[in-house]
Amino acid sequence: MKNYFSIINRRTLLTLFISILVPFICFQNEIVYNVDLTLISIAIIFPLVFTIRGAFRRREKALEHLSRFRTGINIVYYLINDGDKAGKELKEQGTKLLENISNNFTNYLKIPFSKSFGVDKDLKNLYDFVQNNIESFGGGTRQKIFRFMKDIHEGQENLIAIHTHRTPISLKAYCLIFIYIFPFIYTPTLINKIGTGSFQTELITYFVVILSEFILISLYNIQDQMEYPFDADGLDDIKIDYFKMYR
């Protein structure tokens, strides 16, 4: 049940406060007018839908690249441990290097805005290991290892790009601002339609404004969590540990 409240944060509390304050001010000062809400709906719904779709595509791309990354690691593991040329100690050393690549990179993804300096170093260590033990790996095996190291590196680079860059920040900021000012425009128009003069109508106004704001800010929070899918902060985040070398 705790996970379902993960979309509730400080932004939610702020919008709820505005949703209570604005109707109170409108009723106290008899602020009522009738405007077309089409433009304000476009100003919020269009960028919100755009950013949610963008965040969802980022998540699906991340799953694709993680699968390629793990597949590459496992096949390199099989190639290193196949055959009798490489001794037990050499195979264990290669396996340890692959474990470091897997564990260090998935740990890197879990931390927002972390630096990727160690990522390239781990892969370079694997390359040096293969090059320094040419006699233990046949020419065909070595070429296959480098082929699948390319998949590992390509998967890492794509995931680093997703890790580093977000959906357009200016569009998100624009959307959030309009969510905050929505009650100021919507409430007087709603009062004009529902009417005043009774406790029931005022209660309905409060309920509709609060519900509308809660829906909008919840969708915004879902998008905000989904666009960084590695930190296990939202319900739809990627289970990153499933893509380690050893699950």
Side-chain angles (χ1 to χ4, degrees):
M1 192 66 180
K2 180 181 178 181
N3 290 333
Y4 291 96
F5 289 98
S6 63
I7 60 172
I8 298 176
N9 52 26
R10 288 178 296 179
R11 287 190 293 263
T12 307
L13 298 178
L14 177 58
T15 54
L16 291 179
F17 173 75
I18 294 173
S19 300
I20 294 171
L21 178 63
V22 173
F24 176 79
I25 293 174
C26 291
F27 284 124
Q28 290 296 313
N29 296 278
E30 298 182 354
I31 301 174
V32 180
Y33 52 69
N34 186 23
V35 298
D36 187 1
L37 296 175
T38 303
L39 290 178
I40 193 68
S41 299
I42 293 174
I44 297 175
I45 300 302
F46 174 74
L48 193 57
V49 170
F50 178 84
T51 53
I52 288 175
R53 290 180 63 184
F56 181 77
R57 282 195 295 267
R58 283 164 50 84
R59 179 182 181 274
E60 296 306 297
K61 282 292 184 182
L63 286 169
E64 179 182 337
H65 297 313
L66 279 167
S67 298
R68 182 178 292 112
F69 167 76
R70 186 175 187 273
T71 300
I73 284 181
N74 283 336
I75 293 180
V76 172
Y77 168 79
Y78 299 145
L79 290 170
I80 289 176
N81 286 273
D82 185 39
D84 300 324
K85 282 188 177 182
K88 180 180 179 182
E89 184 177 345
L90 203 62
K91 292 178 179 180
E92 290 177 352
Q93 185 181 350
T95 301
K96 184 63 177 178
L97 290 171
L98 290 169
E99 288 177 6
N100 288 338
I101 292 173
S102 175
N103 294 332
N104 292 341
F105 186 66
T106 51
N107 289 336
Y108 155 78
L109 290 177
K110 292 177 182 179
I111 304 173
F113 307 109
S114 57
K115 303 299 182 182
S116 60
F117 300 128
V119 172
D120 293 333
K121 182 180 177 182
D122 288 337
L123 203 58
K124 179 65 164 56
N125 289 339
L126 179 62
Y127 173 80
D128 291 339
F129 165 77
V130 177
Q131 286 291 79
N132 293 335
N133 296 280
I134 293 177
E135 69 283 353
S136 299
F137 302 106
T141 300
R142 191 168 65 256
Q143 292 303 316
K144 289 177 183 177
I145 289 175
F146 289 148
R147 160 67 182 83
F148 288 102
M149 280 181 63
K150 175 181 176 294
D151 286 349
I152 297 172
H153 191 64
E154 185 178 345
Q156 283 183 335
E157 290 302 316
N158 282 292
L159 288 164
I160 289 171
I162 294 173
H163 178 276
T164 305
H165 301 282
R166 304 290 192 269
T167 52
I169 297 174
S170 57
L171 188 61
K172 284 187 61 182
Y174 163 86
C175 181
L176 185 60
I177 289 171
F178 271 95
I179 290 175
Y180 285 147
I181 68 173
F182 178 70
F184 294 93
I185 301 172
Y186 180 57
T187 304
T189 302
L190 182 63
I191 294 173
N192 181 69
K193 292 180 179 180
I194 295 178
T196 59
S198 68
F199 175 75
Q200 288 79 7
T201 56
E202 291 187 6
L203 191 62
I204 292 172
T205 301
Y206 277 104
F207 175 76
V208 173
V209 173
I210 291 172
L211 181 62
S212 300
E213 273 291 89
F214 181 77
I215 291 172
L216 291 174
I217 199 63
S218 295
L219 289 173
Y220 180 90
N221 289 338
I222 290 171
Q223 183 277 331
D224 190 53
Q225 291 178 347
M226 192 186 300
E227 79 164 21
Y228 187 74
F230 306 117
D231 60 357
D233 184 41
L235 288 173
D236 298 305
D237 278 2
I238 295 171
K239 294 177 174 59
I240 194 74
D241 288 338
Y242 285 14
F243 294 93
K244 287 185 175 182
M245 182 176 171
Y246 299 124
R247 292 176 177 171

